[in-house]
Amino acid sequence: MVSKSRKTSFEESALLGFGRIYREPSRPVHLKILWGRILLAGITLLVAGWFAVAGLLFYFFKYRHGYEDVSYSKMLVLPFRLDQHRIEMGDYHVQKGLEALQNQDIRSALHLLRIGVARSKSNAEGRMVLAQIFESGLQRPDMAATILEDGLDQATENPKFLQKDYLQPLFRLLLLHQYDDRIVELSERLLPILPKNSEEAILIAFATIQANVYRGNYQEAERLLDEFGLVQSPQGQILLAQIRWNRGLRDRAIAILHRALNRYPDRDDVFSVLMRFYRDQEEWDLIRRYSILRSIRFPEKVGPKIDLLYALDATEDEDVVLPNVEEIVANFPISESALPLAQFAAATGRTDVARIAYDQALEAGLNIAPFTLLLQESLVRGGEYEAAIQFSDQLREERPDWLIRLQSLENGFRALALQGLGRNLDSEIFVREFMKSDRIRPKTHIAVARMFSELGAPETAHKILSESYSRNSSDQPLLSALVLNDIELGRNRDFVVHLRDLLRMRVPDQEVLAEAYEELGSDRHLFLADREILLSRIEELIVRPS
């Protein structure tokens, strides 16, 4: 017998349509998850979210970051091209920075270029322009050098970093701001990976040779000249002559330059070095004749006129110096004439010429920092010590930004001025500040030490030379100056130690050897154990310098 009533099963939607509930008589409720719908909805949401996020990113980069080259299609695939997007955005900011620089908006240019280079590390043009702003505008050559050096790490991404157009400003910057050790380090890193006879390798080799000459490492400088076959080039002849001159082989140095002029008669830079050598020898008649010859051959060059000023000043034709200076100012661009005039004034103590050069540079908007130092040096050499102190005080109070890069040198000149006024304790304070910098070349230490000796303070000169030698033990001119200072002060023990070091060098300075021979032959060193050996060695070097 069939039952009169029968309960039927039914189903209903659940979980917002992603599930179904089934009810049957005498059975538990059954829930079925519709995975297909869930997967489809998830994909739909993901795609919608992806497009929405891409839209937000497009808005963010275009309107918040000002990245006008952004496209919606690129934002859709951004997760798969993050590195490329970073580089593109960096290149865009570099381009905008260059445009801001053209519009004289330096602040915006600096901001955009820094962002651009940080994102696009292999953008060579951005690095070069950013480094130029740091060097010239912000007076931060250290930052500029770091920016350019860091670019070399990107050479695998961009071969331009190993090309002449990039390497030339880098090594120019390092030489100009006396980063000689960094030049040597970079050359050891780069020369092995560059073709030996390429323009880039020759450029680096010359910079390294010059750095070694500045540091007195003559043997290494000559080795590089030979290795790269640069001895017979005009620049190689100049460097070789400088090495011979610094070693005291004066006649050989001059002979090298004369031979170079026979081979390269149109090289005024060879003439310039020859004139400098003749100035040191006080060959004023020769300088006069050569200045006339050079003025005819190179009428557009200011160098011959400057050489004539040295001759006129040295031969007591002082009344005609200023008219010649006025002629130079009238006939040559200030950008070419102001610095040589200031250098002449500093070397001769002609404060009147120094002030003319300083005023001309200030009026022309040139980088004034070197002119301030040269004016201060001329005041010290001219014996105007009080004026030098007053000028230093004025600079420190009114325009300290002019001296940011050259503060250490200014400390040295201030110390000399204080010494000239008899304020010895104050002078010592600034000598210590002067010696704190590790960027000042030994040649500058030698020059300042010599000026202290001329002011009757050879002990201070000894402190400067000794400390400099402790940092630059391979610098031959520095060691030669220290030997002469030991003789002047009667430091017998130091003299012998430094002389032994000097005799280990390849070709010591001949004039220093002559003075050392005379000192060693005196009764003060009668009981020195190896006296005869040292004397014999000096005799060999003087008679047959190798």
Side-chain angles (χ1 to χ4, degrees):
M1 182 174 176
V2 180
S3 173
K4 294 182 180 180
S5 65
R6 182 177 180 178
K7 292 184 180 179
T8 60
S9 62
F10 68 92
E11 62 182 64
E12 60 181 331
S13 177
L15 300 177
L16 301 177
F18 294 106
R20 304 290 293 176
I21 295 177
Y22 295 92
R23 300 179 184 275
E24 294 183 9
S26 304
R27 290 187 180 183
V29 175
H30 175 63
L31 173 65
K32 181 179 180 181
I33 304 297
L34 302 178
W35 294 108
R37 286 189 181 182
I38 291 176
L39 180 61
L40 181 61
I43 292 173
T44 303
L45 287 174
L46 180 63
V47 170
W50 191 284
F51 277 85
V53 171
L56 290 173
L57 289 172
F58 175 81
Y59 174 84
F60 177 76
F61 286 114
K62 187 175 182 67
Y63 299 106
R64 294 296 299 274
H65 279 267
Y67 181 26
E68 296 177 5
D69 288 351
V70 68
S71 68
Y72 186 72
S73 60
K74 288 182 178 180
M75 292 299 98
L76 284 172
V77 293
L78 180 62
F80 308 106
R81 58 186 309 277
L82 283 173
D83 290 339
Q84 186 62 30
H85 170 75
R86 175 177 51 79
I87 293 171
E88 289 173 354
M89 197 168 178
D91 291 338
Y92 174 81
H93 282 117
V94 166
Q95 186 60 40
K96 287 298 180 182
L98 296 176
E99 292 175 6
L101 193 60
Q102 288 180 344
N103 295 327
Q104 305 298 315
D105 188 355
I106 306 297
R107 179 173 295 182
S108 295
L110 176 62
H111 174 69
L112 290 166
L113 286 169
R114 292 187 75 171
I115 294 174
V117 169
R119 288 175 172 158
S120 181
K121 298 182 185 299
S122 60
N123 191 304
E125 184 180 12
R127 282 189 181 276
M128 292 169 67
V129 176
L130 182 61
Q132 188 176 3
I133 292 175
F134 270 100
E135 180 193 9
S136 303
L138 301 180
Q139 301 296 308
R140 289 295 305 273
D142 54 331
M143 291 289 294
T146 299
I147 290 167
L148 291 177
E149 284 184 48
D150 288 347
L152 298 176
D153 296 331
Q154 310 300 319
T156 53
E157 299 290 332
N158 186 353
K160 288 183 179 180
F161 287 111
L162 292 181
Q163 293 178 0
K164 182 180 177 181
D165 289 343
Y166 187 85
L167 294 173
Q168 196 164 39
L170 167 59
F171 283 93
R172 178 204 61 79
L173 172 72
L174 295 176
L175 274 174
L176 179 63
H177 297 285
Q178 307 183 14
Y179 295 118
D180 301 321
D181 293 337
R182 291 164 81 167
I183 291 175
V184 174
E185 291 173 5
L186 286 178
S187 71
E188 291 173 351
R189 170 184 166 190
L190 297 177
L191 286 177
I193 64 176
L194 290 170
K196 191 168 185 178
N197 295 322
S198 65
E199 285 186 323
E200 291 78 14
I202 298 303
L203 185 154
I204 295 173
F206 268 128
T208 310
I209 293 165
Q210 188 71 71
N212 278 297
V213 170
Y214 282 139
R215 293 293 175 182
N217 302 328
Y218 301 136
Q219 190 165 350
E220 177 64 12
E222 289 195 61
R223 185 191 69 77
L224 289 169
L225 281 171
D226 289 334
E227 180 181 341
F228 286 88
L230 303 174
V231 174
Q232 298 305 322
S233 66
Q235 193 175 349
Q237 291 282 281
I238 289 173
L239 290 168
L240 190 62
Q242 288 177 337
I243 292 170
R244 295 290 181 267
W245 182 269
N246 292 343
R247 282 176 165 160
L249 304 173
R250 309 292 195 247
D251 293 339
R252 290 190 182 186
I254 290 174
I256 289 171
L257 293 179
H258 277 293
R259 287 197 298 270
L261 285 173
N262 289 334
R263 185 177 298 178
Y264 308 106
D266 295 329
R267 292 296 297 241
D268 189 55
D269 52 348
V270 180
F271 269 115
S272 297
V273 177
L274 180 61
M275 292 305 99
R276 178 161 57 82
F277 289 171
Y278 278 145
R279 285 205 304 270
D280 287 349
Q281 291 187 323
E282 300 184 355
E283 296 282 359
W284 305 118
D285 289 337
L286 276 175
I287 290 174
R288 283 176 187 255
R289 291 202 295 269
Y290 270 112
S291 67
I292 294 172
L293 173 64
R294 290 173 66 205
S295 293
I296 295 172
R297 185 174 293 179
F298 309 106
E300 76 284 359
K301 300 284 187 180
V302 72
K305 302 292 185 182
I306 300 295
D307 289 333
L308 182 60
L309 290 181
Y310 281 101
L312 294 174
D313 181 75
T315 53
E316 299 181 355
D317 293 334
E318 297 184 2
D319 292 340
V320 295
V321 169
L322 278 181
N324 275 269
V325 169
E326 292 168 0
E327 180 184 344
I328 290 171
V329 171
N331 295 329
F332 292 92
I334 296 302
S335 58
E336 297 178 14
S337 63
L339 188 58
L341 283 173
Q343 291 168 336
F344 159 76
T348 57
R350 291 291 302 241
T351 57
D352 50 351
V353 178
R355 289 188 173 94
I356 291 173
Y358 178 84
D359 291 341
Q360 291 288 329
L362 200 60
E363 184 178 340
L366 302 181
N367 177 18
I368 201 65
F371 293 93
T372 62
L373 284 184
L374 290 168
L375 175 55
Q376 193 173 8
E377 182 179 356
S378 73
L379 291 169
V380 172
R381 287 192 184 276
E384 299 183 28
Y385 305 123
E386 192 63 52
I389 295 295
Q390 291 175 359
F391 183 60
S392 175
D393 289 339
Q394 181 182 351
L395 287 176
R396 289 163 181 260
E397 182 179 348
E398 297 179 7
R399 295 306 303 264
D401 54 304
W402 288 355
L403 294 174
I404 290 174
R405 183 165 58 85
L406 302 170
Q407 186 64 66
S408 297
L409 280 173
E410 199 274 338
N411 288 330
F413 290 129
R414 188 178 178 91
L416 284 163
L418 290 166
Q419 183 70 41
L421 292 173
R423 296 167 57 181
N424 299 350
L425 293 178
D426 292 337
S427 177
E428 287 181 11
I429 293 172
F430 285 96
V431 167
R432 287 196 292 271
E433 292 298 315
F434 168 65
M435 293 305 298
K436 281 182 180 179
S437 174
D438 58 358
R439 287 178 47 214
I440 296 178
R441 288 180 173 138
K443 142 182 188 182
T444 304
H445 292 144
I446 295 170
V448 172
R450 185 178 295 121
M451 293 174 73
F452 269 106
S453 291
E454 292 169 357
L455 289 173
E459 286 287 356
T460 302
H462 182 81
K463 291 177 183 176
I464 293 171
L465 294 172
S466 296
E467 187 168 342
S468 182
Y469 182 60
S470 68
R471 306 175 193 168
N472 307 279
S473 59
S474 62
D475 190 280
Q476 191 167 318
L478 181 59
L479 184 54
S480 297
L482 196 51
V483 168
L484 295 178
N485 181 264
D486 291 333
I487 295 174
E488 180 182 6
L489 292 172
R491 290 177 171 266
N492 297 337
R493 184 173 299 178
D494 290 342
F495 163 72
V496 173
V497 171
H498 293 142
L499 178 61
R500 288 193 183 106
D501 291 342
L502 185 63
L503 293 178
R504 293 189 190 101
M505 295 191 170
R506 190 174 179 187
V507 183
D509 187 296
Q510 298 293 289
E511 294 180 4
V512 175
L513 286 179
E515 290 200 37
Y517 185 84
E518 183 179 350
E519 170 67 19
L520 195 61
S522 68
D523 292 342
R524 287 188 292 275
H525 304 280
L526 188 61
F527 299 105
L528 182 65
D530 58 347
R531 180 192 191 202
E532 294 303 321
I533 297 174
L534 293 174
L535 287 171
S536 297
R537 177 58 179 155
I538 294 174
E539 288 173 358
E540 291 173 5
L541 291 170
I542 291 178
V543 175
R544 294 186 302 274
S546 56

